[in-house]
Amino acid sequence: MAKIVVIGGTGLIGSKVVSKLQAHGHEAIAASPNTGVNSVTGEGVAEALAGADVVVDVSNSPSFAEQDVLDFFTASTTNLLAAEKAAGVGHHVALTIVGTNRPHDIPYFRAKTAQEKLIRESGVPFSLVHATQFFEFVGSIADISTDGDTVRLPGALVQPIAAEDVSTAVARTAAGTPVNGDLEIAGPEQFGLDEWVRRALEFRGDARTVVRDDTAPYYGAVVEERTLVPVEGALLFETTLDEWLPANPPRVNA
């Protein structure tokens, strides 16, 4: 059994990854600012990685401003990789996004691409898990796309996945051998972004009207039709939107 340190291990995905690894007998440790480990400043990183076999990075920037995101992922990843080399860590697993390795103009994706480049060139054996958009973010996508009572979203395709399934894929990858490359994961169904959000809001009794507008931005950029869906050969999980919605009511004040 391995010692696996999960950076961002107290968050949505990280907490699930820790639980799954522990259930399979691994020594999985949740590392985050809440536990005294700050990968951006370097505080507590060396101590947390002592004796670690694997580091899983599922951390995320607290700010989505373009420069903040870039600074977060480059500083955090640089610190982690340096500490991993010093500790002799044999596998770096990072959760990233489907579409970062294709042409795009999305500021958040550019930051993730910079993170991936650091990992690929580090010399540390690695696996990059590219996930499609999480079902859990459907509410926030609607909110940032709302003007009055209207939600404007493009018809670009998306193939969303449940956070539970993402954590399963990340945990399996961490327990396996490095692929030194990319793995893509997705849910079973493709929708237009507008259709996905419309179905979710209707199910939740939300009165907002969702309008397809192919010029509308997605996280600050206009996206191509297939930027956000996986390539052939991706690992597809089974949780559907109709299964996920009843089990995941919107958060209060979310």
Side-chain angles (χ1 to χ4, degrees):
M1 295 297 103
K3 178 179 178 180
I4 302 173
V5 178
V6 182
I7 307 297
T10 59
L12 171 66
I13 300 297
S15 59
K16 296 176 185 293
V17 171
V18 169
S19 295
K20 290 176 185 293
L21 289 170
Q22 290 175 342
H24 284 83
H26 296 288
E27 181 187 356
I29 299 169
S32 71
N34 293 339
T35 67
V37 181
N38 189 319
S39 56
V40 174
T41 66
E43 177 189 0
V45 172
E47 294 81 359
L49 268 55
D53 301 294
V54 182
V55 169
V56 176
D57 185 5
V58 293
S59 62
N60 202 1
S61 173
S63 167
F64 276 19
E66 182 171 359
Q67 193 60 48
D68 291 345
V69 175
L70 181 62
D71 291 346
F72 175 89
F73 283 118
T74 53
S76 175
T77 304
T78 297
N79 288 336
L80 288 175
L81 293 169
E84 289 170 30
K85 289 180 181 179
V89 172
H91 190 186
H92 180 100
V93 179
L95 178 61
T96 185
I97 308 169
V98 162
T100 55
N101 50 3
R102 302 171 207 163
H104 61 78
D105 192 32
I106 303 173
Y108 187 88
F109 280 30
R110 285 198 291 270
K112 294 297 286 184
T113 301
Q115 178 192 31
E116 294 167 21
K117 185 173 187 291
L118 289 170
I119 294 167
R120 294 180 199 279
E121 296 175 354
S122 68
V124 177
F126 69 94
S127 302
L128 296 175
V129 181
H130 294 256
T132 52
Q133 186 58 270
F134 304 168
F135 283 132
E136 282 75 7
F137 293 159
V138 67
S140 61
I141 291 171
D143 291 345
I144 65 172
S145 305
T146 295
D147 180 11
D149 293 325
T150 302
V151 182
R152 296 188 180 279
L153 283 165
L157 295 173
V158 67
Q159 195 165 333
I161 185 171
E164 189 70 32
D165 293 337
V166 174
S167 63
T168 295
V170 171
R172 287 176 181 169
T173 303
T177 56
V179 300
N180 292 314
D182 304 283
L183 303 168
E184 291 198 355
I185 60 173
E189 305 166 298
Q190 287 188 5
F191 311 97
L193 267 168
D194 62 317
E195 179 190 358
W196 173 36
V197 173
R198 184 181 300 111
R199 285 179 56 177
L201 295 188
E202 288 176 352
F203 179 88
R204 291 174 170 179
D206 192 308
R208 285 176 289 179
T209 299
V210 179
V211 174
R212 175 172 175 170
D213 178 355
D214 289 339
T215 67
Y218 171 79
Y219 286 110
V222 175
V223 293
E224 300 295 327
E225 182 184 32
R226 301 195 63 82
T227 297
L228 305 176
V229 293
V231 295
E232 186 176 351
L235 176 62
L236 303 184
F237 284 81
E238 296 181 354
T239 306
T240 66
L241 180 61
D242 287 344
E243 291 168 338
W244 181 86
L245 280 169
N248 291 272
R251 292 177 295 168
V252 177
N253 297 325

